[in-house]
Every structure is written in C-alpha cells, then in structure tokens.
Amino acid sequence: MKTIFTFFFGFICVFTHAQNILVLNKKNNNPISGVLVYNTDKTKSTVSNLDGSCSLDDFDQDETIFFQHISFNLKKLKKSEISKIVFLTAQAHGLDE
C-alpha cells in the first residue's frame, strides 16, 4: 500500500509542476495569440494559443526565452524570471506622409 501511495504522489508532483503562462497586451490586458516563444539558439519553441497561453515545460530554468509577435516589441526574459504572465508592449507605428 505504501508503494502505491508513493507512486501516485510522485506522479501527481511531476504533472503539477507544468509551467503554463499567459502572454498579454500590456495596454489592455488582452491575450495575444500567435506569439512565437523560443530560446537563444532556436532549438526549442512554442506558440501561444487563442487564449494567449503556452507551456514553457520544454525550456530549461536558466535559458533565455524570447517572445516575438509582428505587432509587439520583442521581449526576452530568463525562464527563472517568469511567473504566470508575460506582458508585451505594442509597437509604435507612425504613418509617413
């Protein structure tokens, strides 16, 4: 019985450690879909879904992670600095006359 309990406890601990984050617009807190999330050498990557959510499970704790979207400024953070939410700032686009 003790072995079964230990197995299930270990199983639960492994799967509850998943790091899912939200990528939000800093101006209005709306989720941003289609954000490319990748490491420095681009060997690991993911993309935020329609809810602005993505998983950072594949990234190592000490890796630098880049957040890139065509309408927002590039942001880079260490995985260890990221909690649950990453805010991106919209790019300022001026119209030339």
Side-chain angles (χ1 to χ4, degrees):
M1 181 70 171
K2 185 176 181 181
T3 305
I4 294 172
F5 176 78
T6 304
F7 172 77
F8 283 116
F9 181 76
F11 185 78
I12 290 170
C13 287
V14 167
F15 285 102
T16 57
H17 186 65
Q19 186 174 4
N20 290 321
I21 62 160
L22 285 175
V23 183
L24 301 178
N25 184 328
K26 187 173 184 176
K27 183 176 180 180
N28 57 21
N29 290 334
N30 287 336
I32 307 170
S33 64
V35 176
L36 179 60
V37 181
Y38 58 92
N39 63 350
T40 303
D41 57 3
K42 299 181 181 176
T43 56
K44 300 173 191 170
S45 65
T46 187
V47 177
S48 63
N49 65 17
L50 292 174
D51 299 322
S53 176
C54 64
S55 172
L56 299 182
D57 290 342
D58 291 341
F59 298 94
D60 297 329
Q61 196 64 22
D62 61 340
E63 280 190 292
T64 299
I65 301 175
F66 295 84
F67 297 84
Q68 183 177 8
H69 189 278
I70 194 167
S71 301
F72 292 86
N73 293 323
L74 178 69
K75 184 163 196 163
K76 75 176 186 178
L77 297 166
K78 290 271 189 195
K79 182 179 178 184
S80 58
E81 299 172 341
I82 302 168
S83 57
K84 301 264 185 216
I85 299 174
V86 172
F87 290 100
L88 298 184
T89 306
Q91 291 182 2
H93 293 287
L95 296 177
D96 293 332
E97 293 185 46

